[in-house]
Amino acid sequence: MENHSTLDTLRIAVAQLNPTVGDIEGNLKLALEAYQDAKRQGADLVLYPELFISGYPPEDLVMRPAFLKACEAAVEEFAKTTSEDGPGAVIGVPLSREGKRYNAVMVIDKGAIIAERYKVDLPNYGEFDEKRVFHAGEMPGPVNFRGVRIGIPICEDIWGHLGVCETLAESGAEILLVPNGSPYYRGKVDIRHQVVIKQVIESELPMVYCALLGGQDELVFDGASFAFNADRSLAFQMSQFEEQTSISTWKRQDDVWVCTDGPRSKIPEAEEADYRACMFGLRDYVNKNGFKNVVLGMSGGIDSAICAALAVDALGEERVRCVMMPYTYTAKDSLVDAEAGAKALGCRYDVIPIFEPVQGFTSALSDMFEGTDEGVTEENLQSRTRGTILMAISNKFGSMVVTTGNKSEMSVGYATLYGDMNGGFNPIKDLYKMQVYALARWRNTQVPATAFGPSGEVIPQNIIDKAPSAELRPDQTDQDSLPPYPVLDDILECLVEGEMGVNEIVERGHDRELVHRIEHLLYIAEYKRRQSAPGVKITRKQFGRDRRYPITNRFRDRN
């Protein structure tokens, strides 16, 4: 391929930034600040993430013509601020063209918009449903930027199988710059590397992968932008979960662009990454939605303890209130453990006994319930009383209630609607119980980067060691109703993430009758999950966006 580049060195700034969906003015401000930072560092070109100006994913906001008009106007304003002696920019923006909506980028240089490119491959799986709001673009050609022919595939264009990168290479691209909005799940960085290496092999071109950062409802975009050279060597690696604008230097050697300088950040191991994703998602949900502080029920159990630690790490001790709401069946060690956990974290701790309000409900219902046996109804009254108290505190002080149920319990319906399911956001919603324990042990030995919480043991060891219990009746443990959590979690992962049949699960060593029971509980709890608070996506298949089962459903695997 003949090369017509006039530059032998290209300094590319990757703007790994945290926009807010719908905050066009705020996102423009972020873009301008990053541009000036890149200019000071001597960049030739600034690469921004996918749909940066609108925030990602904008979902049905792009159906509104006024929204699209405001986004395009913001990019036009941005273009005017670029200068003759400053870098160019590739920035993501939704555009309306001839009655069609596109997931697009605009290329800017010397005060003008010099090109537009549209996303070709629109994802329509898992958390993505872009086909319902965007039109697919035509196959793109490269953009001539100061004599360098740059290919700009957008996110799914490198994940799918439409041959976008190959087309760009065949039409003369020298380097591929990819704006992305790729949500976190466990092990995602390695998967992104594999996807890029595959495209580098097929196109024989280097690729720069600019990743979005930030929490958006259930999704966490974890950054960790990177690049690979044409020889498949890692060119640079930026940090995960951290906002930064980093420069990489590329030199043309024998008609191939090679990265000679760039950041080399270490990517966290699995447990640290999961913890930081939960922390980051909670922080952005609270801050972007304007909550001043949060409140949660502190039971003395593992789930509320780790949620309290996540809240303090995300927001700071002064913005977190923990409330213990004891009843007749609350064990003494639960009172001790709850107070110890709050004290270790340094946050506010209140005790509100619920005996009187529970008795009030019981008394009010006594005539109607006369002649019936006590059971789950009376147990749930305790949970719903606690939920009502937390919501009252929320209403009075403007605090968001943090929900504390894990994925194991939500899978089988081991939670009370309008009780412990109350709340605005659940940071551990997509963590199975054994994963909660693993993260608790990890947090007691580590303080994650960007955390506001203290070092040392922030989750009392007794909470980790003791048998979990809802404490809604005397001497109750979770295993009265459920199998041991290692067994339950494995069956659930097979059913939910693996979509495995009963026979396959039994072959793993599980009891057939138990598998049938767990499958049944999973299906009949769908109505509860539909009413649950949003929470951070950690696994490949989160309830809600990724797994959409009907509430009314009589199918059972009878094998």
Side-chain angles (χ1 to χ4, degrees):
M1 180 182 68
E2 186 180 358
N3 192 292
H4 300 287
S5 298
T6 58
L7 294 177
D8 288 325
T9 300
L10 188 63
R11 289 173 58 79
I12 301 172
V14 173
Q16 183 174 288
L17 305 177
N18 186 353
T20 298
V21 168
D23 185 9
I24 300 169
E25 183 178 340
N27 298 341
L28 173 60
K29 184 173 182 287
L30 283 176
L32 290 169
E33 289 172 352
Y35 180 85
Q36 293 302 324
D37 184 15
K39 182 179 179 180
R40 285 190 294 271
Q41 295 185 62
D44 298 304
L45 180 66
V46 188
L47 177 62
Y48 294 87
E50 181 177 12
L51 292 182
F52 182 79
I53 287 294
S54 62
Y56 185 82
E59 301 187 87
D60 285 11
L61 274 174
V62 298
M63 302 285 208
R64 297 183 65 84
F67 180 73
L68 294 176
K69 185 177 180 181
C71 287
E72 185 170 0
V75 177
E76 291 170 349
E77 181 180 344
F78 174 70
K80 291 175 185 176
T81 67
T82 61
S83 57
E84 286 286 332
D85 61 343
V90 176
I91 191 162
V93 59
L95 293 176
S96 177
R97 293 291 182 265
E98 298 180 353
K100 295 182 177 181
R101 294 180 301 272
Y102 294 104
N103 181 332
V105 296
M106 286 180 155
V107 184
I108 297 164
D109 195 27
K110 303 184 189 305
I113 297 167
I114 63 170
E116 297 175 1
R117 290 295 182 268
Y118 311 134
K119 190 173 184 176
V120 178
D121 198 345
L122 301 177
N124 202 56
Y125 57 85
E127 63 269 27
F128 302 111
D129 53 4
E130 289 191 25
K131 287 185 178 179
R132 64 184 293 274
V133 295
F134 288 118
H135 293 85
E138 299 294 326
M139 278 290 184
V143 175
N144 189 323
F145 176 78
R146 302 183 185 179
V148 181
R149 294 175 65 80
I150 294 172
I152 312 174
I154 302 173
C155 199
E156 192 70 15
D157 289 342
I158 71 167
W159 291 75
H161 305 283
L162 298 184
V164 177
C165 294
E166 189 177 357
T167 298
L168 285 164
E170 289 173 351
S171 54
E174 302 170 45
I175 187 170
L176 301 175
L177 308 185
V178 192
N180 289 271
S182 174
Y184 175 83
Y185 57 73
R186 191 175 301 117
K188 190 68 173 287
V189 172
D190 287 341
I191 291 170
R192 294 180 191 132
H193 282 191
Q194 293 165 16
V195 167
V196 168
I197 289 171
K198 181 177 182 292
Q199 295 292 355
V200 167
I201 291 171
E202 292 180 357
S203 67
E204 299 182 342
L205 295 175
M207 182 177 288
V208 179
Y209 185 107
C210 175
L212 184 66
L213 187 75
Q216 173 57 27
D217 298 343
E218 301 99 326
L219 303 178
V220 167
F221 298 92
D222 54 308
S225 302
F226 63 94
F228 275 87
N229 288 303
D231 65 2
R232 291 171 277 172
S233 62
L234 184 66
F236 69 80
Q237 177 67 65
M238 292 170 63
S239 297
Q240 195 175 23
F241 303 110
E242 295 181 28
E243 195 166 27
Q244 55 192 196
T245 299
S246 295
I247 303 286
S248 60
T249 301
W250 297 77
K251 292 185 180 295
R252 189 155 54 86
Q253 300 174 1
D254 298 326
D255 285 340
V256 176
W257 287 97
V258 177
C259 184
T260 59
D261 185 45
R264 290 280 181 167
S265 297
K266 185 178 184 297
I267 297 301
E269 297 295 330
E271 288 174 356
E272 179 183 355
D274 283 354
Y275 190 94
R276 291 179 68 181
C278 294
M279 180 182 79
F280 197 24
L282 176 61
R283 176 184 291 160
D284 268 10
Y285 190 87
V286 170
N287 290 339
K288 290 182 178 182
N289 286 290
F291 293 103
K292 294 180 181 178
N293 47 54
V294 299
V295 61
L296 69 146
M298 193 75 157
S299 69
I302 189 69
D303 296 327
S304 62
I306 198 168
C307 284
L310 283 164
V312 170
D313 284 341
L315 306 169
E317 62 186 50
E318 71 282 356
R319 298 178 67 188
V320 180
R321 181 199 296 255
C322 294
V323 183
M324 159 56 87
M325 293 165 281
Y327 187 60
T328 306
Y329 309 126
T330 302
K332 183 178 180 180
D333 67 345
S334 293
L335 287 163
V336 172
D337 292 339
E339 183 175 7
K343 184 177 180 181
L345 291 165
C347 58
R348 178 164 178 168
Y349 177 73
D350 297 291
V351 179
I352 304 177
I354 64 168
F355 181 83
E356 289 187 8
V358 170
Q359 292 305 114
F361 282 119
T362 303
S363 176
L365 293 164
S366 60
D367 290 344
M368 181 177 289
F369 286 2
E370 186 176 0
T372 64
D373 295 329
E374 286 195 10
V376 173
T377 299
E378 285 73 21
E379 293 177 16
N380 287 344
L381 275 176
Q382 299 167 49
S383 179
R384 291 188 172 117
T385 299
R386 293 183 175 111
T388 298
I389 289 172
L390 289 174
M391 290 310 301
I393 295 170
S394 173
N395 290 160
K396 179 62 70 174
F397 300 110
S399 308
M400 188 198 79
V401 176
V402 175
T403 316
T404 60
N406 61 71
K407 189 172 186 176
S408 304
E409 295 170 355
M410 291 305 303
S411 295
V412 295
Y414 197 67
T416 305
L417 271 176
Y418 324 120
D420 57 335
M421 288 178 64
N422 278 4
F425 194 79
N426 182 353
I428 64 168
K429 182 178 181 178
D430 203 29
L431 290 173
Y432 288 108
K433 189 76 167 189
M434 297 311 296
Q435 292 166 351
V436 170
Y437 280 110
L439 295 196
R441 285 188 286 268
W442 178 88
R443 179 59 182 88
N444 274 351
T445 62
Q446 306 287 334
V447 181
T450 76
F452 294 111
S455 60
E457 185 178 278
V458 295
I459 299 171
Q461 188 62 39
N462 191 52
I463 291 179
I464 297 174
D465 292 341
K466 68 184 178 183
S469 171
E471 296 189 330
L472 299 176
R473 61 177 182 268
D475 302 318
Q476 181 185 22
T477 69
D478 289 3
Q479 267 58 72
D480 296 340
S481 306
L482 301 172
Y485 279 113
V487 174
L488 177 63
D489 287 359
D490 189 64
I491 294 173
L492 287 171
E493 286 194 59
C494 291
L495 289 169
V496 177
E497 277 78 22
E499 296 288 2
M500 292 167 62
V502 168
N503 283 341
E504 293 177 272
I505 301 172
V506 170
E507 288 173 2
R508 292 170 63 91
H510 295 294
D511 177 74
R512 184 177 298 275
E513 184 178 343
L514 176 61
V515 175
H516 279 301
R517 176 172 166 248
I518 299 305
E519 181 201 39
H520 177 69
L521 292 173
L522 176 67
Y523 286 156
I524 65 172
E526 186 63 38
Y527 80 100
K528 287 188 178 182
R529 291 190 290 271
R530 293 285 185 96
Q531 300 179 65
S532 64
V536 179
K537 174 183 167 69
I538 296 295
T539 68
R540 286 173 177 260
K541 193 166 287 188
Q542 181 200 40
F543 289 126
R545 283 181 178 268
D546 301 329
R547 185 182 185 276
R548 307 177 191 182
Y549 270 61
I551 295 174
T552 306
N553 169 25
R554 290 188 178 180
F555 174 77
R556 301 293 183 271
D557 186 347
R558 301 301 182 187
N559 290 322

